[in-house]
């Protein structure tokens, strides 16, 4: 079963070819970061224009790398949400056109299910079915969620952020510190050698308005960002070396402490075989060390995606699409897909 997957939900244009269940034949990622950097964040119009420019070449190159011909493909998969509407539409249009031209099934994938499935792209990871049930923390630029996975497609949302995502908190913090975009890797670098206990930043524990979710498993990062803003107003030197390293380390630690505390609580209450962490922020070495410590304390093996599969890529979309094969009885072969910028993931 040869599957071609397309990911264009944000600022990475990516195409992957996977021979199901797990032989990855190509995974090309064109990152647009340099194009968005002058604006301090992702500009949707630039992202979608860039996808239009890069996608045709990436499709041809991925197929060439895979050693397959167009006629060898058995299905096309594409991210249909959540993400930027105009960016998603570029991938959807290309995927739909390819499926129609090749007369093969078209599969719609939730971007967050893609991140979750990235955990199993590590050749050393157990098979998805053997890891069940597991708990996973999804930490990206747009989402922060604790999800319990009972079976493929059965995702229970245990907790999530009520405002900013962990990656967003790092991106906004980096902006306030004058570090640039994207913030996560820049804060990680700036925090090297810094004292993470120097500044007491809040750990944002929601108590209400969690939409039926247990507040003890939810996150809130808006207060942290405000605390940094006020700290910098009171002490402008905190954004300059040598204090900068301490500020960045303290801020980063506050973001991660909240992730670890909620995960610890979820692990206490959930009987799971594995604990996973995925999404762009999970590439961070300090976070990985803290996750490993927590997993060891709880006696639960840790699943992490290889770094190249942590940030947005189409290999994870292909891996998630595999779970939809063969097509469910009665499913439309080439459905008309729409972009779903706010597509939800998991049921409460
Ligand atoms: O999963 P992803 O590529 O895109 C979304 O689905 O949002 O995640 C992007 C996020 C950004 O907020 C970025 O700052 C963060 O991942 N990130 C990091 C690191 N590299 C990327 N956060 C912390 N440390 C890093 N090294
Ligand atoms: Zn993502």
């Amino acid at each position: 079963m040869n599957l071609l997957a397309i990911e264009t939900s944000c600022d990475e244009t990516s195409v992957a070819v996977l021979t199901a269940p797990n032989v990855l034949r190509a995974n090309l990622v064109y990152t647009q970061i340099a194009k968005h950097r002058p604006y301090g964040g992702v500009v949707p119009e630039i992202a979608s224009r860039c996808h239009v420019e890069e996608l045709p070449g990436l499709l041809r190159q991925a197929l060439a790398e895979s050693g397959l011909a167009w006629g060898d493909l058995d299905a096309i998969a594409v991210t249909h949400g959540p993400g930027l509407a105009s960016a998603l539409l570029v991938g959807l249009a290309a995927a739909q056109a390819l499926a129609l031209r090749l007369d093969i099934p078209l599969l719609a994938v939730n971007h967050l299910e893609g991140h979750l499935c990235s955990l199993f792209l590590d050749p050393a990871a157990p098979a998805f079915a053997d890891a069940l049930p597991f708990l996973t923390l999804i930490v990206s630029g747009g989402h922060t969620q604790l999800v319990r996975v009972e079976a493929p497609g059965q995702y229970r949302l245990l907790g999530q952020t009520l405002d900013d995502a962990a990656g967003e908190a790092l991106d906004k913090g980096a902006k306030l510190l004058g570090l640039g975009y994207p913030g996560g890797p820049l804060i990680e670098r700036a925090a090297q050698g810094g004292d993470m206990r120097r500044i007491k930043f809040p750990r944002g524990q929601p108590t209400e308005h969690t939409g039926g979710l247990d507040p003890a498993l939810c996150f809130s990062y808006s207060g942290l960002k405000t605390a940094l803003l006020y700290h910098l107003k009171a002490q402008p030197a905190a954004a300059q070396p040598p204090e900068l390293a301490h500020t960045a380390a303290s801020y980063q630690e506050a973001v991660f402490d909240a992730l670890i505390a909620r995960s610890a609580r979820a692990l206490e209450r959930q009987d799971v075989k594995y604990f996973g962490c995925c999404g762009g922020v999970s590439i961070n070495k300090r976070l990985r060390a803290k996750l490993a410590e927590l997993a060891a304390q709880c006696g639960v093996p840790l699943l992490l995606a290889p770094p190249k599969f942590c940030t947005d890529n189409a290999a994870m979309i292909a891996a998630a699409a595999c779970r939809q094969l063969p097509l469910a009885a009665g499913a439309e072969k080439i459905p008309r897909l729409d972009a779903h910028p706010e597509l939800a993931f998991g049921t409460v």
Side-chain angles (χ1 to χ4, degrees):
M1 188 62 92
N2 298 319
L3 195 77
L4 181 140
I6 300 174
E7 156 65 40
T8 64
S9 68
C10 193
D11 60 343
E12 260 95 30
T13 319
S14 182
V15 179
V17 179
L18 184 97
T19 298
N22 55 14
V23 180
L24 187 62
R25 291 169 168 265
N27 181 42
L28 302 176
V29 183
Y30 173 82
T31 178
Q32 308 174 359
I33 286 175
K35 300 233 159 78
H36 299 280
R37 190 171 283 130
Y39 306 93
V42 179
V43 182
E45 171 59 24
I46 294 178
S48 51
R49 206 184 314 150
C50 219
H51 289 314
V52 170
E53 286 164 7
E54 299 299 329
L55 194 51
L58 284 178
L59 283 165
R60 276 191 288 271
Q61 201 187 330
L63 197 75
E65 272 191 23
S66 75
L68 300 176
W70 290 112
D72 296 328
L73 295 177
D74 297 299
I76 305 287
V78 63
T79 307
H80 69 143
L84 302 170
S86 57
L88 288 163
L89 283 170
V90 179
L92 284 165
Q96 234 146 8
L98 278 174
L100 283 168
R101 174 68 181 81
L102 301 170
D103 195 28
I104 54 178
L106 175 63
L107 307 167
V109 175
N110 184 312
H111 181 79
L112 297 176
E113 184 172 13
H115 275 302
L116 192 146
C117 289
S118 70
L119 295 173
F120 301 95
L121 285 168
D122 184 350
F128 192 104
D130 297 333
L132 299 167
F134 63 91
L135 177 76
T136 186
L137 173 68
I138 305 175
V139 274
S140 70
H143 294 83
T144 299
Q145 299 191 330
L146 271 167
V147 176
R148 180 187 167 94
V149 185
E150 211 61 56
Q154 269 187 44
Y155 305 118
R156 212 173 106 216
L157 181 64
L158 301 177
Q160 65 181 351
T161 181
L162 304 190
D163 38 60
D164 293 347
E168 196 177 354
L170 293 169
D171 292 338
K172 288 179 175 172
K175 210 170 189 174
L176 290 173
L177 289 168
L179 294 172
Y181 167 85
L186 295 170
I187 288 205
E188 179 170 30
R189 202 175 316 145
Q192 297 284 331
D195 174 4
M196 54 197 148
R197 275 173 287 271
R198 180 70 64 98
I199 306 158
K200 297 263 168 295
F201 284 119
R203 266 59 175 166
Q205 171 65 71
T207 51
E208 52 184 0
H209 306 305
T210 52
L213 293 168
D214 181 349
L217 301 179
C218 288
F219 310 83
S220 170
Y221 283 117
S222 58
L224 171 62
K225 182 186 59 194
T226 313
L228 176 62
L229 180 70
Y230 283 114
H231 181 78
L232 294 177
K233 274 195 177 152
Q235 298 183 40
Q240 305 300 328
E243 279 305 310
L244 173 63
H246 306 312
T247 315
S250 303
Y251 187 85
Q252 176 178 265
E253 197 66 6
V255 173
F256 296 164
D257 268 351
L259 297 176
I260 296 298
R262 309 304 180 271
S263 302
R265 236 174 250 158
L267 283 168
E268 259 168 38
R269 296 172 188 186
Q270 301 281 324
D271 186 20
V272 288
K273 259 208 248 175
Y274 284 89
F275 169 46
C277 181
C278 55
V281 182
S282 72
I283 217 168
N284 186 287
K285 292 199 180 71
R286 175 66 190 150
L287 177 60
R288 287 183 166 230
K290 287 172 80 75
L291 290 164
E293 200 181 313
L294 172 67
Q297 269 167 19
C298 299
V300 181
L302 180 65
L303 293 173
L304 291 169
K308 66 177 170 186
F309 299 128
C310 289
T311 45
D312 291 348
N313 65 88
M316 67 185 197
I317 303 304
C322 279
R323 264 157 259 299
Q324 298 177 29
L325 293 169
L327 273 194
E332 206 179 335
K333 186 171 157 194
I334 308 180
R336 245 209 91 74
L337 298 179
D338 278 326
H340 296 282
E342 307 287 340
L343 188 64
F345 183 61
T347 49
V348 177

